[in-house]
Amino acid sequence: MALFGKKSSDSSKSVAVPKAFTIQIDPSKFNLATKPAGPVHEQLETLKQKLTKLSSNVENNLMLVVRASTKKDKALAASAFEFDERYIQKGKFEVEYMTLAYLNFQQLGEADQKIVANAGMILKELEKIAQFCLNIADKTEYIQLANVKELHKDEYGLKPMGDITAEMIKKAVEAFVSGNSKHASETLDMMKEIEDLYQAAVRKLKAEVNDSNITNFTGILSVVEHVHATAELSCVIARHFC
């Protein structure tokens, strides 16, 4: 009698390798060491550059998926997953190794440790944003906006919400990289515009929903909520540097 309904022969069956494990990256090439190879500030500058590149890729994917969802472009949505695997996952992998190694295995001073810890914090928020982007891409096939054929127009302000949020992410990370708190303050100020767009979109959806469009509207609302949540995550980063 098989335990848990599983036949003993099941273990001999081949298991498909999840796509995630096809990421082509070699951690040995990160040149990690228990002591910085040169001045610590050069090591930390490289970390900041890697984080900036990752942030830029996340911003680009956000704008891409918003465009895909508003234009019902399934091919564009699919490319978001490809872009995430090729560039974002690799970037996350590298920054994670660098922050963990520098913070735990190098005897850095308190000020330098704080820089690395902040980089690790930003990485975690960018990981959340990157996943939100893929969640938006998943909705593309199931929602339909009225102005799908008009290049830069949608009736819920998703395009400007996406563009503003991408700029907020950029500014929040730049506040860390440059040490200029002005970028962080600007990020928080831009959230006010996001809130206005978000509230207007929710009001419109609630005012126009009926039994025939509720499934479509729920999908649109999901995209609205995801973009709004992404903007909030950029503010989480920014508040650390005000």
Side-chain angles (χ1 to χ4, degrees):
M1 182 176 178
L3 294 175
F4 306 110
K6 193 173 185 179
K7 296 180 180 179
S8 59
S9 60
D10 287 350
S11 61
S12 64
K13 294 180 179 179
S14 61
V15 178
V17 177
K19 190 175 182 182
F21 291 103
T22 64
I23 301 171
Q24 299 300 311
I25 194 163
D26 183 0
S28 67
K29 295 181 179 179
F30 297 168
N31 298 318
L32 300 176
T34 55
K35 293 182 180 179
V40 175
H41 76 271
E42 292 182 0
Q43 172 179 278
L44 299 184
E45 182 61 30
T46 298
L47 172 60
K48 289 178 179 180
Q49 290 174 0
K50 298 288 187 183
L51 194 61
T52 299
K53 181 62 176 177
L54 173 60
S55 172
S56 177
N57 285 333
V58 171
E59 297 156 30
N60 289 337
N61 227 23
L62 173 64
M63 291 187 288
L64 184 152
V65 296
V66 169
R67 174 168 170 75
S69 65
T70 57
K71 303 309 172 191
K72 203 176 179 65
D73 190 331
K74 290 188 285 185
L76 191 61
S79 73
F81 287 91
E82 296 170 3
F83 187 84
D84 183 272
E85 182 175 358
R86 179 172 295 184
Y87 300 107
I88 295 175
Q89 290 191 42
K90 287 184 178 181
K92 291 189 302 182
F93 200 125
E94 188 167 14
V95 172
E96 181 194 18
Y97 264 58
M98 294 173 77
T99 54
L100 288 176
Y102 298 164
L103 194 60
N104 293 281
F105 301 140
Q106 290 186 352
Q107 301 302 312
L108 300 181
E110 185 177 349
D112 293 333
Q113 282 192 339
K114 184 176 180 181
I115 291 173
V116 178
N118 280 332
M121 175 275 297
I122 293 171
L123 171 63
K124 288 182 172 62
E125 302 308 321
L126 290 178
E127 286 181 316
K128 296 174 189 175
I129 294 172
Q131 184 58 54
F132 277 140
C133 291
L134 299 184
N135 293 351
I136 292 171
D138 274 332
K139 306 297 188 307
T140 297
E141 184 177 357
Y142 305 103
I143 63 175
Q144 179 72 49
L145 277 74
N147 293 306
V148 67
K149 292 184 179 181
E150 296 186 46
L151 186 59
H152 297 297
K153 186 175 182 182
D154 68 83
E155 60 267 38
Y156 302 103
L158 278 166
K159 177 67 166 57
M161 278 183 72
D163 289 349
I164 295 167
T165 300
E167 184 66 18
M168 290 170 69
I169 298 167
K170 179 180 180 180
K171 285 182 176 292
V173 175
E174 181 60 28
F176 162 70
V177 172
S178 68
N180 189 343
S181 63
K182 178 183 177 182
H183 296 301
S185 299
E186 290 173 347
T187 301
L188 300 180
D189 288 341
M190 292 169 78
M191 188 66 197
K192 299 170 186 175
E193 190 172 358
I194 291 292
E195 284 293 349
D196 289 343
L197 289 165
Y198 168 74
Q199 294 296 340
V202 173
R203 282 196 302 270
K204 183 173 176 62
L205 286 164
K206 287 183 175 180
E208 298 177 358
V209 70
N210 55 52
D211 288 342
S212 65
N213 64 23
I214 187 170
T215 301
N216 184 44
F217 275 25
T218 301
I220 296 171
L221 179 59
S222 176
V223 176
V224 170
E225 291 285 353
H226 275 66
V227 177
H228 182 258
T230 295
E232 289 182 320
L233 289 172
S234 72
C235 291
V236 170
I237 297 172
R239 291 190 188 99
H240 283 78
F241 308 110
C242 286

